[in-house]
Amino acid sequence: MTENHSASQPQTQRHRVEGPQKHIVVFVLSMVLTIIAFAAVAAGKVNKLFVIFLLLGMAIVQAFAQMAFWMHMKDRGHFFPIIGIVGGVFVVIMLVALALLWTWW
Amino acid sequence: MAAHAHAVKRYPGFWGWLWDWLTTVDHKKIGILYLVAGGLFFVFGGIEALLIRLQLMFPMNDLISEDFYNELITMHGTTMIFLAAMPVIFALMNAVVPLQIGARDVAFPFVNALGFWTFFFGGLLLNLAWLMGEVPDAGWTAYPPLATTAYSSHHGMDYYVLGLQIAGIGTLLGGINFMATIINLRAPGMTFMRMPMFTWASFITSALIVFAFPALTVGLVAMMFDRIFGANFFNVDAGGNIVLWEHIFWLFGHPEVYILILPAFGVISEVISTFSRKRLFGYSTMVFATILIAFLGFMVWAHHMFTTGLGPVANALFSIATMAIAVPTGIKVFNWLFTMWGGSIRFTAANLYAIGFIPTFVMGGVTGVMLASAPADFQYHDSYFVVGHFHYTIVGGLVTGLLAGIHYWWPKMFGRMLHEGLGKLSFWFYIIGFHLTFFVQHFLGLLGMPRRVATYLPNQGFDTMNLVSTIGAILMTVGIAVFFVNVVITSLKPRHAANDPWEDGRTLEWAIPSPAPEYNFKQIPLVRGLDAWWKEKMEGNKELPPAEPLGPIHMPSPSILPFIMGVGFFISGFGFMYNLVFAVIGLVIVLVCMALRSIFDDHGYHIEPEEPKKGEVAA
Amino acid sequence: MSAHEHHAGALPPEPEKATLEGRNKILGFWLFLGAETVLFGTLFSAYLAFRNSVLDGPKPEELFQLPMTFIMTVVLLVSSLTSVFAVQAMHRHKTGQMLGWMAVTIALGAVFLGLEIYEFNEYAHEGHRFTTSAFSSAFYTLVGFHGGHVAFGILWIGLVILQILKKGLTVVTAPKVYVSAIYWHFIDVVWVFIFTVVYLMGKV
Amino acid sequence: MNRWHAGKKLALALMFGLFPLLAACGRADLSVLNPQGPVAQRQFDVLMVSVGIMTLVVVVVFALLIYVLVRFRRRRGDNSIPEQVEGNHKLEIIWTVIPIILLIILAVPTVGAIGKFAEDYWDDPNAVQVKVTAYQYWWEFEYPQYGITTAQELVVPIGKKIAFELVAGDVKHSFWIPAIGGKMDNNPGLTNRFYLEFPTPGVYRGRCAELCGPSHAYMDFKAKAVDQASFDRWVAAMQGPAVLPEDDNIREAFVSKCLTCHAVGDQGAPIGPNLTGLGSRVTVAGILFNDTPEQEYVIDPAKTEENIKVWLEDTQKIKPGNMMPSAVDLQLTQEQIDGIAKYLANYRLDYE
């Protein structure tokens, strides 16, 4: 644990007024990924395994973008939020691996 | 349990006293509430254990019926783990962690009270099963289909599912609260690597709670939907699968084991270091080992399922992952031994418990490694060997550690010293009784006795060892009874414990009066190193250096809402079993309380610090 | 540091983080979201385990209608964006704008919820009921838990709107806006995985 | 009866610190510490490796602890402050590396044995297939190769691999014959396969190891290992036509009251335990022993008859929660009870 700032100190943050541009970019990205995902399934003729990995990849990219920008996880002072989500995701990976392995077995 | 000077409006008499305790948001009082409730449930669980042992004293004994026996083992396991061990852990965390990090309270005092009352009413709901005559009887692991309505049609398992669900919400809230407290409320200078080991252990335990309990929540929801709304998660005929429950339960259940034992590790680190007059050997390694244990704890759950039929690959992987946990645990044991090495060891009751912990836990640990070996586990699994093993870790480890912690921090919690002689007497009864009870159980398992059997046939070589085990259980009971006598005698004595009653206290809590004043620290201290109070004492300082000027101290207001929300959950739990209208009413009560809490801002109140009074500092 | 040190009119740039209470709240909520991640992960794993246990009920590819799911997805995605706008308005201390965006957010949330109820109703008519099979139980539990979160979010943000109307934007109310927005985004992120894993992968 | 090996016993006694109660390693037909087949032997070997390693660890910790406690106890009036040692990386590396080495020593035989026990002999023509279905408080053993089914007493030939397929008919159970090999679970809706070997003829005690209801403690069975010729005769006898009571009244009662759930030979319904050759079994209901104290596992038909009557009189008293009605509920007369008990006790298969 390298984190050693004293948390009881008020965080002095510089005032930056963010414009909406970044968030709109994330929105457009999310929309595009969503449309591609639905289109890939609606087309229905593509390789099944490829589509599944494409869908999962796009979902992860979209989720990542939304969490980084909309939920401000890219901002400073988000060490523990990241720990929280990463820890949760770690457990989820175990769980999902379990579900998949066990239904294949 | 006397209440001390309170700056808010107080009502006189018994009702005022009761109101004070029902509405408190003070972490020290909530700690005491946890201790009392945990102690109460511990007595229930203990009586259940004693009945189990008396039944198994002789072959084909018919002291209690088979049905009752299954109810006893189920309630004993569930009560001891969720309603006795967890709250006593939370009691120590509440009593100690804010003091150790130099904070005035936890991050969410209201949520802290809510966590307690939710846990308490969940536990109450579960134990009301006894009064209602429909008691859970499918084991504390509640494996379906035995736990589904097809084979357990009465409401017993509903009490289990709903009681644990509600208690689990309380535990989750506690976990979040302590994580946030430790992250945000450390005093200036208290970096993570200067935190006392117990605080570290509490932090990691809280993290485990946050990541493990939701899995249990979902498991219980699935079980509840199956039982009450006819879902098919575990209904094999409708495509359900019973192994899902085992996976989810143990994915929670194994981290739960570390949730239980890590605080005990923390207590031992504090107690041994104090009574050896030495700093903890290899502090940073200890921290790292704790984190590693927690991390590995999530990757070993299937070692509870070696015989379920997961296949050789899974069994091999989980065998090796489980063995790996022995390494950080071993590091801890040797670091404790070398903390004492070169020290000046004082044998107080607290330290006796802590020293007793080490060999006992090591024995539980090594049988754990034996169990990790899947092919040999085919023999141990679900036999008395396992019963011996987990009682060595949970009783010999956790309970011994908690008793060490309770003796150690009792003066800080109550301002009185537990009687040393009685403490030592209780220790010897307890530890000898413990080993008599559980050591032989390993051999019973190896001789072919399965666990959870209501009785056993004679002439199988089980008789003598079962008798020995029961005698041990009685000795243990005597030990615990002596401890309770000690508590009663101590409560009748005047409250005059010194700030640093063990004289060798190292951490911040020993720098303030015993019991700690409502606001803990008159001025938030400045922490200048690991073992901050020891450092100041060694430099000849009588007080901690302050990090802020003297000024009015802001305190949160007491509130009855947490109690009402607990009642709401309780009503809704009953409603799910008997009448869904009440389930809705209960949940509406909870939601309304949440809204009220949000709407009405808590402005708190201020305490004006007085000049140091002579009476506050022990002579 | 207490709430009283800040007075109306002297609102700091990021009012949600101005007080220790606010920072605690945000941190604690993030930890709660960590727990929620595990909660939904467990529900996902149960769903994945039972995705083929349909018995006599309709199969996922027969059941799910892509246009419907697409509309729901877009509605929730837009509501997440409007929720960001609300937080941005708060950072600029534009209380009116903020309230407007929050109102839009819950309106879209209500539309989403209405569509989901309509969808569930349709499924039930097609013989895909809660008790039909392990698949149907797992489906309704996962998607229903998400729907329950949306409903709770609507109530919550609604309550925050009422409080802001009454108390104005202060260092006490600002963390509530921020935290409820984080919650709303989280629900949206969970939906991204639901429409991917449940609906789209069910149709592949 | 206890044929334990002196060397093994000595080693064990030393390992476990000469524990006086461990005068014997338990019954040879029951104890894990007294393995009677290659599977249990291999498991015992892994156990001994782990016990050896763990004893070493325990001895080191205890020795260190006692030394430290004696050497560094605080003397009266001692107010010196010990040196505040921060740690010692060299030492810490030592007690990280040594456990890793010890665990590797244990992990190697562990993984080897996991692979060994995962071998599937179900389709091996030389193996005997046994499908084990566990029900609340009794065991059904089906031999698909021979088209026969028995209950409560598993009969197997010595020297062959016995390939088991395990499943449960109601709740979860676990199939365990400690002296022959470790357990495997009977799951409802899922099948597990494993194998055991019985090199020595004899009766071995088996039991359910997973909590399955109030009578979990009574869910015992026996495994009887016999030579190949005896096993063949047993199969032939099982395949033969059912023997029914000779007395008309008794036969009528048996067919109308018992065979609605039970089966004998080709008659009856396969709901409850198969009763073919009940008189040859060591126990009634798995826990009422038909042998005499003088000669273990030698069946006394009079005692069998007595046990059947005890069982019929109140089945819920013997195994609470089981599905079988008592004689009263079946409206059996005393004469019919006696007749059926006598018939069943004497329904023996001549194969040994």
Side-chain angles (χ1 to χ4, degrees):
Chain A
M1 196 96 3
T2 50
E3 235 281 341
N4 60 359
H5 80 275
S6 174
S8 59
Q9 303 277 2
Q11 286 154 323
T12 45
Q13 301 219 344
R14 228 173 333 131
H15 187 188
R16 359 169 262 274
V17 178
E18 298 183 318
Q21 300 89 351
K22 275 182 303 185
H23 298 305
I24 290 169
V25 168
V26 171
F27 177 73
V28 170
L29 174 76
S30 297
M31 279 309 299
V32 168
L33 290 174
T34 305
I35 289 167
I36 294 175
F38 276 85
V41 175
K45 290 202 178 92
V46 204
N47 176 304
K48 189 171 170 174
L49 205 63
F50 171 75
V51 174
I52 287 178
F53 279 103
L54 180 74
L55 290 177
L56 280 176
M58 291 193 305
I60 290 166
V61 170
Q62 184 176 160
F64 191 83
Q66 293 184 8
M67 295 200 333
F69 289 90
W70 290 359
M71 295 170 83
H72 310 285
M73 276 174 86
K74 64 167 182 43
D75 291 0
R76 272 186 319 129
H78 277 73
F79 178 77
F80 284 100
I82 289 169
I83 289 285
I85 297 298
V86 167
V89 167
F90 164 68
V91 179
V92 170
I93 289 169
M94 312 286 301
L95 276 160
V96 170
L98 164 172
L100 293 176
L101 284 176
W102 154 55
T103 39
W104 285 339
W105 148 71
Chain B
M1 234 150 299
H4 48 86
H6 205 295
V8 279
K9 185 169 60 170
R10 289 215 41 205
Y11 305 101
F14 171 78
W15 295 110
W17 173 84
L18 186 68
W19 181 255
D20 184 39
W21 282 97
L22 294 185
T23 58
T24 185
V25 293
D26 178 354
H27 70 95
K28 296 171 290 295
K29 285 185 166 181
I30 290 171
I32 291 170
L33 285 174
Y34 267 119
L35 191 64
V36 172
L40 186 74
F41 287 125
F42 181 79
V43 171
F44 287 173
I47 292 169
E48 284 151 11
L50 209 55
L51 284 172
I52 292 170
R53 269 330 311 171
L54 289 174
Q55 162 67 9
L56 293 177
M57 197 168 183
F58 304 111
M60 293 309 279
N61 199 358
D62 56 359
L63 179 74
I64 51 183
S65 75
E66 292 82 355
D67 287 297
F68 186 35
Y69 183 86
N70 284 356
E71 295 167 3
L72 284 175
I73 57 164
T74 306
M75 290 300 283
H76 167 71
T78 315
T79 304
M80 283 303 199
I81 291 197
F82 293 100
L83 309 180
M86 300 284 299
V88 177
I89 289 169
F90 269 114
L92 289 184
M93 279 163 64
N94 265 298
V96 177
V97 167
L99 304 184
Q100 280 196 335
I101 61 173
R104 293 237 162 85
D105 207 324
V106 292
F108 310 108
F110 179 89
V111 172
N112 202 15
L114 178 61
F116 169 75
W117 289 113
T118 318
F119 140 75
F120 179 75
F121 279 105
L124 202 63
L125 182 67
L126 182 57
N127 272 282
L128 269 184
W130 285 118
L131 288 184
M132 304 300 282
E134 296 180 301
V135 190
D137 56 1
W140 85 278
T141 51
Y143 277 12
L146 189 62
T148 60
T149 39
Y151 298 96
S152 181
S153 51
H154 59 77
H155 280 301
M157 291 314 291
D158 296 333
Y159 281 99
Y160 169 93
V161 166
L162 292 160
L164 283 193
Q165 189 71 280
I166 294 170
I169 293 169
T171 308
L172 182 63
L173 292 175
I176 292 173
N177 196 357
F178 275 94
M179 272 190 94
T181 304
I182 293 169
I183 294 169
N184 265 5
L185 299 190
R186 282 166 292 121
M190 175 69 81
T191 59
F192 270 100
M193 289 314 277
R194 285 178 182 175
M195 281 185 348
M197 206 53 219
F198 179 73
T199 300
W200 255 114
S202 303
F203 183 58
I204 301 298
T205 283
S206 304
L208 284 175
I209 288 173
V210 169
F211 296 127
F213 264 76
L216 177 72
T217 303
V218 172
L220 291 174
V221 162
M223 181 75 88
M224 172 184 150
F225 282 4
D226 266 21
R227 289 189 59 90
I228 297 174
F229 302 122
N232 300 308
F233 288 98
F234 311 121
N235 180 358
V236 175
D237 298 330
N241 195 314
I242 59 157
V243 181
L244 179 70
W245 168 265
E246 291 176 36
H247 277 301
I248 291 178
F249 185 85
W250 288 117
L251 188 86
F252 147 78
H254 202 79
E256 167 72 11
V257 175
Y258 295 107
I259 292 171
L260 295 175
I261 199 65
L262 289 181
F265 286 174
V267 171
I268 301 304
S269 302
E270 301 281 322
V271 174
I272 281 188
S273 150
T274 298
F275 292 111
S276 304
R277 271 190 192 156
K278 260 189 78 199
R279 69 173 273 171
L280 188 62
F281 190 89
Y283 169 83
S284 39
T285 322
M286 292 294 257
V287 170
F288 176 69
T290 311
I291 296 170
L292 195 60
I293 291 171
F295 180 69
L296 289 172
F298 276 104
M299 304 200 283
V300 298
W301 79 89
H303 69 218
H304 297 270
M305 302 164 62
F306 280 148
T307 67
T308 302
L310 299 178
V313 177
N315 280 3
L317 287 175
F318 281 104
S319 276
I320 289 170
T322 307
M323 288 179 190
I325 291 192
V327 177
T329 316
I331 292 172
K332 284 186 156 282
V333 170
F334 283 103
N335 278 349
W336 289 323
L337 289 174
F338 275 79
T339 302
M340 293 192 277
W341 186 287
S344 170
I345 304 168
R346 194 175 148 204
F347 293 95
T348 56
N351 202 26
L352 277 182
Y353 274 108
I355 290 167
F357 168 94
I358 295 176
T360 311
F361 184 76
V362 166
M363 288 166 75
V366 297
T367 52
V369 177
M370 292 172 72
L371 282 157
S373 174
D377 181 71
F378 291 164
Q379 289 284 21
Y380 312 136
H381 180 82
D382 266 344
S383 78
Y384 255 85
F385 188 88
V386 174
V387 179
H389 159 72
F390 70 70
H391 281 95
Y392 259 82
T393 53
I394 295 181
V395 182
L398 169 66
V399 176
T400 313
L402 289 178
L403 283 166
I406 288 171
H407 281 82
Y408 179 61
W409 280 303
W410 195 271
K412 196 50 70 184
M413 288 178 83
F414 296 101
R416 302 179 175 92
M417 303 284 280
L418 283 172
H419 189 273
E420 275 295 307
L422 283 175
K424 287 175 185 170
L425 187 70
S426 84
F427 167 75
W428 287 111
F429 269 112
Y430 166 85
I431 201 80
I432 291 170
F434 169 80
H435 284 281
L436 274 183
T437 312
F438 295 109
F439 189 68
V440 290
Q441 292 188 352
H442 297 109
F443 296 96
L444 279 173
L446 294 177
L447 297 190
M449 183 163 162
R451 69 190 277 208
R452 295 168 160 176
V453 287
T455 187
Y456 49 93
L457 294 171
N459 190 28
Q460 299 190 103
F462 300 165
D463 308 4
T464 321
M465 283 192 257
N466 270 303
L467 181 62
V468 169
S469 185
T470 303
I471 293 170
I474 293 168
L475 288 182
M476 251 176 110
T477 312
V478 173
I480 297 295
V482 172
F483 167 71
F484 279 114
V485 168
N486 195 357
V487 168
V488 172
I489 291 178
T490 304
S491 323
L492 301 175
K493 289 205 182 128
R495 182 193 290 265
H496 56 40
N499 287 6
D500 187 0
W502 306 113
E503 289 156 12
D504 295 321
R506 310 178 69 83
T507 40
L508 291 183
E509 74 269 31
W510 304 114
I512 55 173
S514 308
E518 206 177 348
Y519 44 81
N520 299 350
F521 297 90
K522 202 166 285 149
Q523 290 160 289
I524 294 295
L526 179 68
V527 174
R528 304 195 299 148
L530 182 67
D531 293 338
W533 175 231
W534 178 264
K535 190 175 161 72
E536 299 303 335
K537 281 197 288 188
M538 287 302 107
E539 292 176 10
N541 298 328
K542 296 268 178 276
E543 276 183 8
L544 295 166
E548 60 173 12
L550 215 54
I553 298 165
H554 180 247
M555 302 296 293
S557 313
S559 170
I560 192 69
L561 288 179
F563 179 82
I564 297 174
M565 286 169 84
V567 174
F569 276 120
F570 184 75
I571 293 172
S572 122
F574 258 110
F576 275 115
M577 280 183 274
Y578 297 104
N579 187 339
L580 286 178
V581 173
F582 287 95
V584 174
I585 292 175
L587 291 178
V588 167
I589 292 176
V590 173
L591 286 175
V592 167
C593 288
M594 284 169 81
L596 289 176
R597 170 66 186 172
S598 180
I599 292 165
F600 295 104
D601 293 329
D602 172 20
H603 296 294
Y605 62 95
H606 285 80
I607 297 180
E608 297 297 332
E610 320 117 274
E611 287 305 302
K613 279 191 298 186
K614 283 285 162 266
E616 235 173 42
V617 186
Chain C
M1 190 186 297
S2 88
H4 306 278
E5 289 162 38
H6 298 279
H7 301 287
L11 215 51
E14 288 190 334
E16 77 276 8
K17 290 175 188 147
T19 62
L20 178 61
E21 285 87 349
R23 289 195 298 277
N24 283 346
K25 219 173 252 185
I26 293 167
L27 174 68
F29 197 76
W30 272 105
L31 298 171
F32 173 71
L33 288 186
E36 288 265 88
T37 308
V38 179
L39 183 112
F40 278 106
T42 316
L43 290 168
F44 269 110
S45 80
Y47 175 81
L48 286 172
F50 293 138
R51 68 196 185 282
N52 296 322
S53 301
V54 286
L55 297 185
D56 306 331
K59 293 188 173 60
E61 57 264 36
E62 302 159 10
L63 203 61
F64 302 145
Q65 301 300 325
L66 285 187
M68 178 75 163
T69 313
F70 185 74
I71 294 168
M72 287 166 73
T73 305
V74 173
V75 167
L76 205 58
L77 200 56
V78 174
S79 81
S80 201
L81 182 69
T82 57
S83 179
V84 177
F85 289 160
V87 171
Q88 286 199 315
M90 178 185 79
H91 283 167
R92 290 195 305 269
H93 305 163
K94 301 259 167 81
T95 312
Q97 267 184 30
M98 177 187 83
L99 288 174
W101 286 122
M102 287 168 83
V104 173
T105 303
I106 57 171
L108 289 168
V111 170
F112 175 88
L113 204 60
L115 288 174
E116 188 158 79
I117 291 168
Y118 169 79
E119 180 203 5
F120 280 10
N121 196 32
E122 286 293 300
Y123 291 165
H125 283 302
E126 288 172 42
H128 178 72
R129 291 163 199 285
F130 185 62
T131 55
T132 305
S133 61
F135 164 73
S136 72
S137 298
F139 168 82
Y140 281 115
T141 308
L142 169 59
V143 183
F145 252 77
H146 178 265
H149 276 73
V150 173
F152 185 81
I154 293 170
L155 290 179
W156 181 9
I157 297 178
L159 187 70
V160 174
I161 290 176
L162 293 179
Q163 284 189 51
I164 305 268
L165 286 174
K166 183 108 174 76
K167 303 176 193 168
L169 183 62
T170 68
V171 290
V172 177
T173 49
K176 300 183 186 191
V177 176
Y178 187 82
V179 165
S180 60
I182 296 278
Y183 174 82
W184 197 260
H185 297 311
F186 181 78
I187 294 175
D188 181 46
V189 171
V190 171
W191 180 256
V192 168
F193 286 97
I194 290 184
F195 87 69
T196 303
V197 173
V198 177
Y199 290 92
L200 292 184
M201 279 162 66
K203 290 291 264 188
V204 171
Chain D
M1 130 103 244
N2 289 331
R3 291 171 290 107
W4 33 260
H5 316 290
K8 208 180 280 172
K9 185 205 166 198
L10 186 67
L12 254 182
L14 283 174
M15 292 292 189
F16 286 125
L18 292 164
F19 195 66
L21 288 168
L22 202 70
C25 305
R27 298 177 60 102
D29 58 354
L30 179 62
S31 173
V32 173
L33 301 179
N34 211 336
Q36 300 295 318
V39 173
Q41 183 63 50
R42 180 118 188 212
Q43 288 162 340
F44 181 76
D45 293 343
V46 175
L47 183 154
M48 289 311 287
V49 171
S50 61
V51 167
I53 294 170
M54 295 309 142
T55 310
L56 179 72
V57 172
V58 169
V59 166
V60 168
V61 171
F62 274 52
L64 250 176
L65 180 68
I66 292 168
Y67 174 78
V68 166
L69 291 182
V70 173
R71 171 77 178 71
F72 299 108
R73 66 185 191 280
R74 189 177 302 178
R75 270 80 172 177
R76 196 172 293 280
D78 175 6
N79 274 322
S80 62
I81 302 296
E83 192 197 343
Q84 302 293 306
V85 185
E86 198 171 310
N88 184 323
H89 284 298
K90 219 176 279 172
L91 279 175
E92 287 177 299
I93 288 167
I94 289 174
W95 59 65
T96 310
V97 172
I98 291 179
I100 291 176
I101 295 170
L102 293 177
L103 290 173
I104 291 172
I105 295 174
L106 178 58
V108 171
T110 295
V111 173
I114 289 173
K116 179 76 186 154
F117 295 146
E119 288 168 5
D120 184 354
Y121 291 96
W122 187 256
D123 298 318
D124 182 344
N126 293 322
V128 177
Q129 296 175 342
V130 182
K131 186 170 184 242
V132 181
T133 311
Y135 295 92
Q136 268 181 328
Y137 326 128
W138 64 280
W139 300 86
E140 182 178 85
F141 304 109
E142 187 191 339
Y143 298 70
Q145 289 155 319
Y146 309 108
I148 56 175
T149 300
T150 186
Q152 298 292 48
E153 197 163 300
L154 172 72
V155 178
V156 291
I158 55 170
K160 274 194 172 173
K161 294 260 190 326
I162 316 296
F164 291 98
E165 193 169 85
L166 308 173
V167 72
D170 37 44
V171 303
K172 195 175 158 86
H173 302 273
S174 191
F175 177 84
W176 188 27
I177 312 174
I180 299 298
K183 60 189 77 61
M184 190 60 86
D185 290 355
N186 297 62
N187 296 310
L190 300 161
T191 50
N192 276 330
R193 282 182 184 172
F194 86 132
Y195 73 94
L196 293 172
E197 282 176 86
F198 299 73
T200 329
V203 177
Y204 303 96
R205 295 187 180 202
R207 47 196 34 163
C208 173
E210 182 66 59
L211 179 67
C212 54
S215 287
H216 165 55
Y218 310 128
M219 194 170 157
D220 288 6
F221 65 95
K222 305 290 168 288
K224 190 185 274 183
V226 295
D227 59 46
Q228 185 65 44
S230 301
F231 180 73
D232 293 339
R233 282 208 299 284
W234 178 75
V235 170
M238 287 293 292
Q239 286 168 334
V243 179
L244 289 178
E246 285 161 14
D247 183 296
D248 287 340
N249 176 24
I250 304 297
R251 185 171 63 240
E252 202 279 319
F254 183 70
V255 170
S256 65
K257 300 278 167 65
C258 304
L259 291 191
T260 46
C261 291
H262 295 280
V264 282
D266 49 354
Q267 308 272 315
I271 296 169
N274 189 297
L275 299 177
T276 316
L278 186 80
S280 299
R281 296 186 194 160
V282 174
T283 56
V284 169
I287 50 164
L288 301 171
F289 279 83
N290 302 331
D291 55 1
T292 52
E294 297 78 40
Q295 281 184 297
E296 193 157 45
Y297 299 144
V298 175
I299 296 157
D300 175 4
K303 199 150 177 213
T304 310
E305 204 177 318
E306 182 56 35
N307 282 338
I308 295 170
K309 286 186 206 165
V310 168
W311 168 251
L312 279 177
E313 192 195 337
D314 190 353
T315 61
Q316 294 304 318
K317 193 177 154 201
I318 308 294
K319 282 189 174 181
N322 85 83
M323 300 293 283
M324 174 149 165
S326 297
V328 187
D329 309 311
L330 290 166
Q331 295 168 323
L332 287 169
T333 65
Q334 191 57 45
E335 184 205 4
Q336 288 168 332
I337 295 172
D338 293 345
I340 289 170
K342 193 174 187 68
Y343 150 73
L344 282 174
N346 291 299
Y347 190 168
R348 309 189 63 168
L349 303 175
D350 180 28
Y351 65 97
E352 277 172 287

